[in-house]
């Protein structure tokens, strides 16, 4: 098992039946949902929930996602999704791990890049706004 960074945020979930496909494994598209839940918890802990970002006049737009599926999650498996920030000055870059607690195996790894835009005009911010940097570094 990979050693996670000290500031990683982890959440535990259970694979629901409605996320399983005809192969009886969790459909690959649901992993994006799972890592987003972990990323949003990371941001919430930094006082950067969606309403808090809007108060700062900023929105985050997903620019890129990448997932590598290693071993499948199955219905009712318990799993942990961890998210941590690896870059935050020009863009926000997160990395993820999905670890199957039922089998003791890594299920997936991934990353995403989010761009900061001004909430009112949707203009791209070419640097992360100072208040976001301050909160992300706290």
């Amino acid at each position: 098992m990979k050693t996670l960074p000290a500031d990683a945020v982890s959440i535990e979930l259970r694979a629901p039946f409605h996320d399983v496909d005809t192969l009886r494994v969790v459909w690959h598209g649901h992993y994006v949902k799972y890592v987003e839940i972990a990323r949003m918890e990371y941001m919430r802990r930094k006082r950067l929930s969606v309403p808090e970002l809007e108060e700062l006049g900023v929105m985050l737009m997903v620019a890129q996602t990448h997932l590598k599926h290693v071993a499948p999650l199955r219905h009712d498996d318990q799993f942990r999704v961890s998210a941590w920030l690896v870059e935050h000055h020009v863009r926000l870059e997160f990395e993820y791990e999905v670890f199957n607690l039922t089998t003791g195996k890594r299920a997936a790894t991934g990353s995403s890049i989010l761009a900061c835009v001004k909430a009112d005009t949707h203009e791209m911010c070419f640097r992360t706004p100072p208040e976001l940097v301050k909160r992300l570094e706290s």
Side-chain angles (χ1 to χ4, degrees), residues 35-88:
V35 300
E36 180 164 327
I37 292 168
R39 184 183 75 237
M40 294 304 295
E41 182 59 27
Y42 183 98
M43 295 296 282
R44 188 176 296 107
R45 292 183 188 184
K46 295 291 185 175
R47 298 179 301 119
L48 291 169
S49 65
V50 172
E52 290 165 319
L53 286 167
E54 289 173 339
E55 287 176 15
L56 296 172
V58 177
M59 295 174 68
L60 298 175
M61 300 186 89
V62 175
Q64 185 178 58
T65 59
H66 174 78
L67 286 169
K68 179 180 178 183
H69 300 272
V70 182
L73 293 172
R74 299 181 185 284
H75 170 247
D76 215 34
D77 281 352
Q78 287 187 272
F79 60 99
R80 179 182 60 238
V81 186
S82 302
W84 60 95
L85 190 64
V86 295
E87 159 57 24
H88 65 276

Side-chain angles (χ1 to χ4, degrees), residues 12-138:
E12 290 187 12
L13 301 168
R14 185 179 294 273
F17 177 75
H18 60 82
D19 282 0
V20 176
D21 64 16
T22 58
L23 299 175
R24 298 185 182 191
V25 298
V26 171
W27 177 64
H28 68 278
H30 289 299
Y31 288 74
V32 175
K33 171 178 60 179
Y34 302 152
V35 300
E36 180 164 327
I37 292 168
R39 184 183 75 237
M40 294 304 295
E41 182 59 27
Y42 183 98
M43 295 296 282
R44 188 176 296 107
R45 292 183 188 184
K46 295 291 185 175
R47 298 179 301 119
L48 291 169
S49 65
V50 172
E52 290 165 319
L53 286 167
E54 289 173 339
E55 287 176 15
L56 296 172
V58 177
M59 295 174 68
L60 298 175
M61 300 186 89
V62 175
Q64 185 178 58
T65 59
H66 174 78
L67 286 169
K68 179 180 178 183
H69 300 272
V70 182
L73 293 172
R74 299 181 185 284
H75 170 247
D76 215 34
D77 281 352
Q78 287 187 272
F79 60 99
R80 179 182 60 238
V81 186
S82 302
W84 60 95
L85 190 64
V86 295
E87 159 57 24
H88 65 276
H89 290 288
V90 176
R91 61 191 184 191
L92 303 188
E93 184 174 349
F94 286 89
E95 289 188 358
Y96 309 101
E97 179 185 68
V98 179
F99 189 84
N100 189 328
L101 298 168
T102 302
T103 64
K105 295 179 181 177
R106 179 181 296 144
T109 59
S111 63
S112 65
I113 295 173
L114 289 86
C116 296
V117 297
K118 295 177 183 176
D120 56 350
T121 64
H122 294 162
E123 288 178 72
M124 180 81 67
C125 302
F126 292 102
R127 304 238 3 118
T128 303
E131 183 58 31
L132 268 70
V133 171
K134 180 180 169 184
R135 291 186 192 190
L136 290 167
E137 292 178 350
S138 67

